[in-house]
Amino acid sequence: AGFWFVERLAEQYGISLKADPKFNGISGRGNIEGQDVRLLLPSTFMNASGKSVVPFTKFYNIAPEAMLIAHDELDMNPGVIRLKTAGGHGGHNGLRDITPHLGNDFHRLRIGIGHPGHKSKVSGHVLSKPSPDEQVAIEAALDAAMDSLQLMVTGDIEKARSQINGFKLPNA
């Protein structure tokens, strides 16, 4: 789900994403709402996201507090989205691989995908396509995040957080 958000950013703002083997990922640079930004989609396994994110942020001298990491969130239903700053990894293995190197002072866009019910089903759930209803809910949540993008990139994180965290699916 985090990739879907970054791909939306790239598409909406005309940012070309290209293979970037130096950082084990796909990256791009562009302008979003007047701000120079860099986008990264790690091509590592999620559990090894740090092998992509850490060298990327260090090379481009991106401070943790200037980063937004968009990721799926099992503990939230599809259609729920939250903007959070700092905190622990919450059991997310991608964040677990990043925080020892960069700390935890970055912003996170937590995109709900729901939990399959038992931990033995998590890998399959995360790697499979959502149901059509879940996909519609996730897309609506991503739209809400895109609507708050200007606030995020211009530094009004509190207002962006209020808008994003206040999002509710219609008829929910």
Side-chain angles (χ1 to χ4, degrees), residues 56-160:
F56 184 84
T57 58
K58 293 201 181 287
F59 183 83
Y60 291 114
N61 199 29
I62 301 168
E65 56 274 6
M67 290 180 4
L68 173 69
I69 295 183
H71 65 87
D72 56 13
E73 183 63 59
L74 286 166
D75 294 330
M76 296 181 343
N77 290 330
V80 175
I81 193 161
R82 297 286 182 264
L83 180 61
K84 176 182 177 182
T85 302
H89 56 72
H92 191 283
N93 290 329
L95 295 178
R96 185 181 309 216
D97 195 52
I98 294 168
T99 56
H101 308 283
L102 299 179
N104 60 10
D105 290 335
F106 51 86
H107 307 288
R108 304 120 198 262
L109 185 64
R110 303 167 59 218
I111 305 160
I113 62 168
H115 198 286
H118 192 271
K119 66 181 181 176
S120 67
K121 297 179 181 180
V122 167
S123 291
H125 177 69
V126 169
L127 297 173
S128 65
K129 287 181 71 167
S131 73
D133 287 344
E134 291 170 337
Q135 186 68 42
V136 166
I138 292 168
E139 294 291 332
L142 293 174
D143 288 343
M146 293 297 290
D147 290 345
S148 297
L149 190 62
Q150 181 179 7
L151 296 168
M152 284 189 269
V153 298
T154 58
D156 198 345
I157 295 296
E158 289 310 313
K159 191 167 184 184

Side-chain angles (χ1 to χ4, degrees), residues 42-54:
S43 58
T44 61
F45 288 109
M46 183 194 51
N47 295 2
S49 297
K51 288 181 175 57
S52 181
V53 173
V54 172

Side-chain angles (χ1 to χ4, degrees), residues 2-12 14-20 25-30 37-42 56:
F3 273 39
W4 297 335
F5 178 72
V6 173
E7 288 165 345
R8 276 178 177 233
L9 291 176
E11 184 177 327
Q12 182 169 329
I15 299 172
S16 295
L17 296 174
K18 297 180 182 119
D20 196 342
I26 299 166
S27 70
R29 180 180 184 183
V37 299
R38 296 192 180 271
L39 304 177
L40 175 67
L41 298 168
F56 184 84

